[in-house]
Amino acid sequence: MRENILHKAAEMFLSYGFKSVTMDDIATEMSVSKKTLYKYFSNKVELVEASVETVQETIDKAILDVKNKKFNAIEEEFAVKAIFKEMFKKAKNSPMFQLKKYYPETFQRLKEREVCVFEDCNLDNLINGKKQGLYREEINNKLIAKFYFTLIFEIFENESHGKNMQELMKLEYKVLEYHIRAIATPKGVKELEKQIELNFLLT
């Protein structure tokens, strides 16, 4: 039951936001009493934290699955981006804004974990991209990874971009294009344009 609650709560939080979804909403959706929820989670904060961890584990596994498919570096970046697009496809507004505003400690822990995962993932991608002749040899891997991470997180932390999740995802694809164009070889640019065309056809 605990796992069922976690997965349903995570699904609802991602779709409607961490503040918007109440314990009553989750209980109703699952056709259980609120008492059942409190048997496993003493309060909503605890459920939010556990749900965020569940989502992160799901993302980590999905990224690992992508990496095991041995795509080229640019293909891999678009495949990873597709994971997030699929995960947030039902969300009207960004749940990250609510997480940061109403559960700042949970948000900070998420961000710290994301820094580590993102850096490892992106450094590996940059190394492979150089070997494949898609990225320029002279780029500083650690510096580029930090630049890219800063740009991505700025989208979801800065409310001036708006809160509509689908618009934010489009912006994230633009940041990905910007990132790759900044580091790509002519061969890499051709692969980038191929992936852009493919992904526009899939939207």
Side-chain angles (χ1 to χ4, degrees):
M1 176 57 79
R2 186 179 189 278
E3 290 303 309
N4 290 341
I5 294 170
L6 270 178
H7 286 292
K8 177 53 70 176
E11 178 188 317
M12 293 178 72
F13 288 144
L14 290 179
S15 295
Y16 306 110
F18 289 95
K19 176 66 175 176
S20 304
V21 176
T22 66
M23 297 294 268
D24 282 320
D25 293 332
I26 298 167
T28 300
E29 184 70 19
M30 295 188 70
S31 300
V32 299
S33 67
K34 214 161 51 161
K35 185 178 179 181
T36 301
L37 299 187
Y38 287 116
K39 178 180 176 182
Y40 297 97
F41 302 96
S42 58
N43 53 52
K44 186 182 171 185
V45 173
E46 187 179 321
L47 179 55
V48 166
E49 289 179 353
S51 297
V52 167
E53 188 172 335
T54 295
V55 170
Q56 188 58 55
E57 287 171 357
T58 301
I59 291 171
D60 291 349
K61 182 181 181 301
I63 290 174
L64 183 60
D65 288 344
V66 166
K67 286 192 165 293
N68 287 336
K69 290 179 180 177
K70 305 299 181 185
F71 292 134
N72 71 53
I74 295 174
E75 241 182 331
E76 180 181 276
E77 286 282 29
F78 277 87
V80 168
K81 201 63 64 189
I83 293 169
F84 293 94
K85 183 179 178 182
E86 176 66 21
M87 184 166 283
F88 293 109
K89 67 181 181 181
K90 293 181 181 178
K92 292 182 179 178
N93 297 314
S94 171
M96 299 300 285
F97 286 130
Q98 289 193 8
L99 189 64
K100 182 183 179 183
K101 185 173 182 179
Y102 298 105
Y103 303 95
E105 292 180 5
T106 304
F107 177 83
Q108 191 57 40
R109 282 193 290 272
L110 171 66
K111 186 174 179 179
E112 288 168 4
R113 180 172 173 176
E114 279 290 295
V115 169
C116 297
V117 172
F118 187 96
E119 188 172 84
D120 288 345
C121 183
N122 201 243
L123 285 174
D124 180 64
N125 181 271
L126 291 169
I127 291 167
N128 288 335
K130 285 183 179 182
K131 289 177 182 176
Q132 294 160 0
L134 299 170
Y135 301 151
R136 300 196 314 276
E137 282 290 339
E138 73 273 16
I139 63 171
N140 182 314
N141 291 353
K142 287 193 174 181
L143 190 60
I144 291 296
K146 286 181 180 178
F147 283 166
Y148 186 33
F149 179 83
T150 301
L151 285 172
I152 289 293
F153 251 79
E154 197 273 343
I155 291 172
F156 294 99
E157 286 193 81
N158 191 337
E159 293 194 36
S160 67
H161 296 303
K163 297 181 182 180
N164 182 281
M165 195 63 207
Q166 302 315 309
E167 291 303 315
L168 291 174
M169 287 305 301
K170 289 178 184 176
L171 185 56
E172 194 172 352
Y173 271 96
K174 289 294 184 184
V175 169
L176 174 60
E177 179 184 354
Y178 176 84
H179 163 69
I180 294 175
R181 284 195 188 280
I183 63 176
T185 62
K187 178 183 175 182
V189 171
K190 286 183 181 178
E191 179 62 30
L192 169 64
E193 289 173 350
K194 173 185 169 183
Q195 292 302 319
I196 290 172
E197 185 177 351
L198 284 172
N199 281 273
F200 276 144
L201 289 173
L202 291 172
T203 53

